[in-house]
DNA sequence: GCTTTAAAAAGTAAGCT
DNA sequence: AGCTTACTTTTGAAAGC
């Protein structure tokens, strides 16, 4: 019986040690990305749920932690791309992506794809654009969604294009290069998306 | 030019099949005696053979098993296997008259003829059997249980059906998707 | 899980002129 | 800006790490 006790204590220690490591990893990554406390707490809940359902088997703690953080950002409407999560993790984007799909399915997270609108506040503040420009970008994206101009397109690219357009309409022009930089897409993508949005939403852009 | 009949737009794009043509093969000598052979044991355990007539690529293993990929019809697949068998016979290897083969996967393309809203489809299915991550890939992934295939749906209304064993699997998948989308009022 | 083959879909990316 | 090449996703078998 003493053996059994010791074993339980050993397992318990390992479990606690792993959980502590996971939580410190979540905190480290969240800090590096400047994420608010509610996102860290949400990520911790997702991670604990994954542990309770034995979803860590065969997966690295760091991989599950990164996937949990990615999911938490989306749940809290402050999305980070897989590339951004991967930058502060030692796990590859590919591994985080597959782990995310796995825990998302197993925990029944049912997350709809990220809306381009959720990227607007972060990208606009990164470009020092005022609320008015931000609101106009959101309105453009709302219309774009209804007109099926977002199906299959990357959310960050569409958001970047809408911000590029609204910055011009609002008289606070940002270059494609500047917008591309904060959005993490190429200028070519912004060009393709903004031309499509301007044409189909009948927005006149005078440079 | 465009018939716009979804069920008439089906086109087989690729067929993967496996077969056992003999009990064992000496890959090093086989690779050196066949002109279009490629063999790097360090890189991959099989010999890669490329045919031009039916444009097919064959992977030949030391066990005598073979994998054929690239065929766009069951007929060209059979011809490809015959050509491979003849090439091996020319090397003095005994190969059965009509080697048995099994189709492992058929990739088919199709067109619903109308653009579709992937976001609404994802919501309509309540994300059941569906994966849609436009940040990563523009297509919506839909896994069907019957027929057991995976369908990639695009905003243009075009789609890819893969994982089927017989041509009819793709046909049934398209019919099922058409009825599900229409009953959900998404097409 | 990876390696290799082929193929389509549509978006994004990178290199070169 | 535009063209080319290439990578993302899915599927399946083969032998071996």
């Amino acid at each position: 019986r003493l053996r059994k006790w010791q074993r339980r204590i050993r397992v318990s220690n390992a479990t606690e040690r792993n959980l502590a490591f996971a939580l410190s990893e979540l905190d480290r990554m969240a800090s590096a990305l400047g994420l608010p406390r509610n996102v860290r707490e949400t990520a911790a809940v997702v991670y604990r749920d994954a542990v309770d359902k034995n979803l860590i088997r065969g997966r690295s703690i760091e991989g599950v932690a990164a996937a949990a953080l990615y999911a938490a950002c989306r749940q809290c409407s402050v999305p980070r791309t897989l590339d951004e999560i991967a930058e502060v993790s030692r796990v590859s984007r590919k591994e985080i992506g597959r782990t995310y799909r796995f825990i998302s399915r197993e925990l029944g997270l049912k997350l709809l794809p990220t809306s381009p609108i959720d990227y607007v506040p972060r990208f606009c503040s990164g470009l020092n654009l005022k609320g008015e420009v931000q609101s106009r970008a959101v309105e453009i994206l709302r219309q774009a969604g209804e007109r099926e101009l977002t199906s299959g397109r990357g959310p960050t690219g569409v958001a970047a294009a809408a911000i590029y357009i609204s910055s011009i309409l609002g008289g606070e022009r940002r270059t494609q290069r500047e917008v591309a930089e904060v959005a993490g897409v190429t200028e070519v993508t912004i060009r393709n998306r903004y031309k499509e949005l301007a044409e189909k939403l009948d927005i006149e852009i005078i440079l | 030019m465009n018939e716009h009949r979804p069920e008439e737009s089906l086109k087989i794009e690729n067929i993967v099949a496996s077969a056992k043509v003999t009990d064992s093969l000496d890959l090093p000598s086989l690779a050196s005696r066949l002109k279009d052979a490629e063999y790097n044991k360090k890189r991959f355990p099989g010999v890669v053979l490329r045919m031009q007539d039916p444009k097919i690529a064959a992977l030949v293993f030391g066990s005598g098993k073979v994998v054929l990929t690239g065929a766009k019809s069951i007929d060209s697949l059979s011809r490809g296997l015959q050509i491979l068998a003849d090439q091996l016979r020319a090397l003095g290897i005994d190969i059965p008259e009509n080697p048995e083969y099994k189709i492992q996967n058929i990739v088919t393309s199709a067109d619903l003829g109308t653009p579709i809203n992937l976001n609404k489809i994802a919501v309509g299915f309540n994300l059941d059997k569906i994966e849609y991550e436009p940040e990563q890939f523009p297509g919506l992934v839909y896994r069907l249980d019957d027929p057991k295939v995976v369908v990639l749906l695009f905003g243009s209304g075009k789609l890819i059906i893969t994982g089927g064993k017989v041509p009819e699997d793709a046909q049934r998948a398209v019919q099922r998707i058409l009825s599900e989308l229409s009953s959900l009022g998404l097409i």
Side-chain angles (χ1 to χ4, degrees):
Chain A
R1 296 118 254 104
L2 186 57
R3 266 230 184 293
K4 198 167 184 179
W5 266 25
Q6 291 180 319
R7 189 176 181 182
R8 275 185 189 171
I9 291 171
R10 220 179 294 135
V11 170
S12 175
N13 281 343
T15 300
E16 285 175 31
R17 203 188 322 118
N18 288 340
L19 182 58
F21 174 62
L23 295 180
S24 71
E25 266 305 289
L26 283 177
D27 235 52
R28 184 188 61 71
M29 294 188 283
S31 294
L33 292 169
L35 293 168
R37 196 178 59 192
N38 68 311
V39 178
R40 307 182 190 209
E41 291 170 348
T42 299
V45 170
V46 172
Y47 185 88
R48 282 194 167 91
D49 286 345
V51 171
D52 290 344
K53 288 204 172 186
N54 294 310
L55 304 183
I56 289 70
R57 284 183 183 176
R59 264 161 278 269
S60 68
I61 292 174
E62 170 119 6
V64 177
L69 186 59
Y70 175 69
C73 287
R74 288 174 58 161
Q75 289 186 314
C76 296
S77 296
V78 286
R80 296 293 109 128
T81 63
L82 281 177
D83 282 330
E84 290 176 301
I85 298 289
E87 277 178 32
V88 298
S89 170
R90 75 173 153 78
V91 182
S92 70
R93 193 227 63 192
K94 189 164 189 169
E95 177 64 23
I96 298 173
R98 91 178 60 184
T99 302
Y100 161 73
R101 290 180 202 174
F102 180 71
I103 66 173
S104 178
R105 182 176 63 247
E106 295 301 313
L107 297 179
L109 298 185
K110 294 276 200 309
L111 288 174
L112 250 30
T114 305
S115 168
I117 293 176
D118 290 340
Y119 283 108
V120 173
R122 180 156 64 99
F123 291 170
C124 279
S125 65
L127 290 163
N128 292 310
L129 287 169
K130 50 193 174 194
E132 191 189 317
V133 174
Q134 202 173 130
S135 305
R136 180 135 31 177
V138 170
E139 176 54 22
I140 290 172
L141 291 172
R142 193 187 59 69
Q143 288 182 247
E146 295 179 346
R147 302 283 287 282
E148 311 195 359
L149 298 178
T150 59
S151 262
R153 278 103 185 171
T156 53
V158 183
I163 291 171
Y164 172 69
I165 292 174
S166 67
S167 76
I168 293 174
L169 296 181
E172 279 224 52
R173 184 165 190 224
R174 294 290 112 95
T175 64
Q176 291 178 6
R177 194 178 191 315
E178 292 173 315
V179 182
E181 179 64 34
V182 301
V185 297
T186 64
E187 294 158 82
V188 178
T189 294
I190 291 186
R191 215 168 288 138
N192 291 334
R193 295 297 132 242
Y194 106 77
K195 282 179 180 171
E196 182 175 51
L197 291 177
E199 183 191 341
K200 300 194 174 173
L201 294 180
D202 286 301
I203 298 174
E204 280 193 56
I205 293 164
I206 301 162
L207 300 179
Chain B
M1 268 301 167
N2 30 333
E3 44 308 288
H4 291 320
R5 257 315 54 85
E7 31 280 311
E8 288 172 25
S9 67
L10 296 195
K11 181 187 175 192
I12 292 179
E13 303 286 357
N14 182 29
I15 299 178
V16 179
S18 58
K20 191 171 194 322
V21 296
T22 187
D23 286 331
S24 75
L25 253 20
D26 179 13
L27 299 186
S29 77
L30 187 153
S32 62
R33 295 162 66 191
L34 287 177
K35 50 178 171 56
D36 298 312
E38 186 182 312
Y39 184 45
N40 297 300
K41 189 169 185 175
K42 329 282 296 176
R43 194 173 172 223
F44 190 67
V47 169
V48 179
L49 273 173
R50 289 162 206 285
M51 303 176 7
Q52 39 281 138
D53 187 330
K55 187 170 177 295
I56 289 173
L59 303 180
V60 184
F61 300 87
S63 63
K65 290 185 177 179
V66 159
V67 172
L68 298 173
T69 65
K72 286 190 177 299
S73 70
I74 293 180
D75 188 66
S76 63
L77 169 65
S78 315
R79 282 192 286 128
L81 181 55
Q82 281 301 141
I83 293 174
L84 172 61
D86 287 339
Q87 289 185 308
L88 294 180
R89 289 187 190 108
L91 262 41
I93 302 169
D94 284 324
I95 307 294
E97 282 305 313
N98 290 298
E100 282 183 36
Y101 65 88
K102 183 185 180 190
I103 291 179
Q104 304 286 175
N105 178 31
I106 297 181
V107 181
T108 305
S109 62
D111 191 350
L112 298 180
T114 322
I116 49 181
N117 188 317
L118 302 182
N119 240 303
K120 288 183 179 174
I121 292 176
V123 174
F125 280 79
N126 193 30
L127 259 34
D128 258 352
K129 303 178 184 319
I130 286 208
E131 271 180 38
Y132 177 42
E133 298 290 332
E135 177 195 324
Q136 201 152 100
F137 186 67
L140 180 153
V141 183
Y142 182 19
R143 290 164 200 282
L144 304 196
D145 291 321
D146 179 36
K148 189 181 176 305
V149 299
V150 172
V151 178
L152 305 183
L153 281 159
F154 296 86
S156 65
K158 291 190 176 181
L159 53 146
I160 298 296
I161 304 89
T162 186
K165 300 289 189 192
V166 295
E168 294 68 46
D169 285 341
Q171 175 69 241
R172 288 208 294 140
V174 172
Q175 290 182 329
R176 176 149 266 151
I177 285 172
L178 279 172
S179 69
E180 288 180 342
L181 290 185
S182 58
S183 72
L184 249 37
L186 298 175
I187 196 170

